[in-house]
Structures are given as structure tokens and as C-alpha cells.
Amino acid sequence: MKIMKNIKLDIDKEKVLGYQGYNKKRVKKPNQNILQITEEEINRGYSLFKPQGIYSLTKIICFTSKERINLENDFALRFSKSIIDQLKGTSYLLVGVVTIGDLLEKKVSELLSQGEYPQALALDAVGTVAVEYFSWRVRKMARQEVTEQGFKTSRHFSPGYSGWAVSQQEIIFKSMPTDNIGVKLTKGCMMLPQKSLSWVIGVGKEIVTPSGEDNNCENCQSKYCNYKL
């Protein structure tokens, strides 16, 4: 199990604009005021990021016939059939949780209470881009570790996406000490701080559908995503 801290985050302005509803492929273009606010909130965001991540390599005991994977230490995760198919040939799961802390979301709430809606929207988008970038960095390092041991890796999967029930978040949190990075789970299986992400990655030498690169906008197959750049 590893805990990651003090990783420098780089914020892509185009992605921040994308989360605000602006996109190079759309007719809607940000005006100069929006561009200035976005740049200001990106700069503000750098002082609010407190990135921390934790991940571990967990051994798979067996795949059952009920779309369930039994793990060591008596844990078990249930996946949709489509995810199970992509995890065929895996021997381990990389399980991770990352966050940028709660300072940014507190500032967003403060801006909203002051009626600074464009600034709040921009800063919230900055936080989304930041946690996604940090998550990608942690996944990249975790992948590199197992790749150097001769393993292949699958794409990553997060609860609430790709037909994977968000309730499975509870198993992820039981399997590792997320308190060490300041992330907790609500009764509704939502993470606090809100700018947090969790995921699993299949690891094995016989993966049927290995993924050398992580899934992102460039290889996403969705044609209708509002945030695709």
C-alpha cells in the first residue's frame, strides 16, 4: 500500500473551459471576461490543492458465476458483465482513492454565498480538472510499478460509471485506510471531500483486453459527452 503526496498539478485551461460548457468543437465561445475569470481561478486553485492519494495491489482469489470477484482478506466486488469481460485474465486489482482536499470546495461555497457565480463555476471546474489530473498521475505511477514486474493492466473503472454500482464504493473504502488521506464515505456512498475519485485497475499477465494507456477523451468511445474536448 502506498500513499502519494506533494505531486505538482498542471491545470489545462481548455479542460477547465470545457467543464464550464465551452468547447473548441462548439459554436459557443468564451468571451474575454470568462477567459480572464478562468485564468484567475486557475491561479487561485493552485493555492488550494492538497493532493493525496492511496493505492494498493490486492490479490484476486476467484471470479464467481454471479459477476463477482472474490479478493483476499474476505473482500468481494460486484461488477457489470461488461466490466467482468474486460477484467478476464487478471490476477490482481490495483485499488485507489485520490483527493485534492476540501479547501477548494469551501472556497467555491464562499464565492456562491457572495453571489460570485462565474468565479464559483470556474473554480469548481478547476477542482474537477485537478482531481482528474492527479488521479491520472497516481494511476500512471501504479501502472508503471506493476508493468516493471511483467504485468499488463486494464483500463480503470470507477464506481458509478460503466454500469458499476456506486454502492461498491463501500468495499473499496473498507479495503484500505482512506482516513490516512482525509477521505470519508457518506451513507449514500458519496466521497468527502467531494473532489475525490476512486478506481480499480485489473492487473495480470494474461489480460484479454490490456490497456497500455489510461482511458481519456482521446480514446473514449462516447459520441455525446458534454465535456469531450
Side-chain angles (χ1 to χ4, degrees), residues 1-4 54-57 94 137-153 199 201 203:
M1 184 174 299
K2 290 194 175 181
I3 293 179
M4 311 300 297
I54 185 171
Y55 67 89
S56 64
L57 188 64
L94 274 169
R137 285 286 304 274
V138 173
R139 294 195 306 267
K140 184 177 181 180
M141 288 185 283
R143 287 175 187 277
Q144 184 174 349
E145 286 183 14
V146 296
T147 299
E148 289 174 352
Q149 299 175 44
F151 291 103
K152 299 175 183 177
T153 59
W199 38 261
I201 298 172
V203 176

Side-chain angles (χ1 to χ4, degrees), residues 155-225:
R155 55 163 289 197
H156 83 272
F157 303 94
S158 292
Y161 296 88
S162 302
W164 188 17
V166 71
S167 61
Q168 294 297 286
Q169 195 101 268
E170 186 175 2
I171 308 302
I172 290 177
F173 274 67
K174 285 181 177 179
S175 71
M176 59 175 58
T178 56
D179 283 348
N180 289 352
I181 61 169
V183 183
K184 297 182 179 180
L185 202 63
T186 69
K187 291 182 179 179
C189 293
M190 303 303 292
M191 289 179 285
L192 295 176
Q194 295 176 14
K195 296 303 183 185
S196 304
L197 293 171
S198 64
W199 38 261
V200 301
I201 298 172
V203 176
K205 295 187 176 181
E206 305 296 332
I207 293 182
V208 177
T209 54
S211 175
E213 297 293 334
D214 213 347
N215 46 312
N216 52 33
C217 285
E218 284 68 32
N219 56 36
C220 175
Q221 299 302 309
S222 175
K223 297 180 180 179
Y224 307 106
C225 176

Side-chain angles (χ1 to χ4, degrees), residues 27-175:
V27 176
K28 187 179 179 182
K29 301 291 183 182
N31 58 36
Q32 191 58 42
N33 184 49
I34 293 297
L35 290 173
Q36 181 177 341
I37 288 174
T38 298
E39 290 176 359
E40 289 173 352
E41 296 309 319
I42 288 174
N43 289 332
R44 192 206 302 263
Y46 282 119
S47 67
L48 300 172
F49 302 149
K50 300 296 179 184
Q52 298 184 85
I54 185 171
Y55 67 89
S56 64
L57 188 64
T58 302
K59 185 178 180 180
I60 293 174
I61 302 301
C62 67
F63 286 68
T64 74
S65 59
K66 296 182 179 180
E67 299 177 357
R68 167 174 148 167
I69 296 179
N70 291 340
L71 308 172
E72 61 182 336
N73 299 322
D74 293 325
F75 291 113
L77 287 169
R78 295 183 180 276
F79 297 93
S80 65
K81 184 179 183 303
S82 63
I83 294 179
I84 289 290
D85 289 341
Q86 295 180 70
L87 291 175
K88 287 180 179 178
T90 57
S91 305
Y92 301 87
L93 287 181
L94 274 169
V95 184
V97 177
V98 301
T99 185
I100 60 166
D102 64 359
L103 294 181
L104 184 139
E105 63 191 61
K106 287 180 178 179
K107 188 62 180 180
V108 169
S109 296
E110 180 184 324
L111 290 170
L112 287 173
S113 69
Q114 296 171 348
E116 302 286 349
Y117 302 116
Q119 288 82 357
L121 176 63
L123 185 59
D124 185 71
V126 170
T128 299
V129 172
V131 71
E132 288 181 347
Y133 175 76
F134 179 51
S135 183
W136 172 78
R137 285 286 304 274
V138 173
R139 294 195 306 267
K140 184 177 181 180
M141 288 185 283
R143 287 175 187 277
Q144 184 174 349
E145 286 183 14
V146 296
T147 299
E148 289 174 352
Q149 299 175 44
F151 291 103
K152 299 175 183 177
T153 59
S154 74
R155 55 163 289 197
H156 83 272
F157 303 94
S158 292
Y161 296 88
S162 302
W164 188 17
V166 71
S167 61
Q168 294 297 286
Q169 195 101 268
E170 186 175 2
I171 308 302
I172 290 177
F173 274 67
K174 285 181 177 179
S175 71

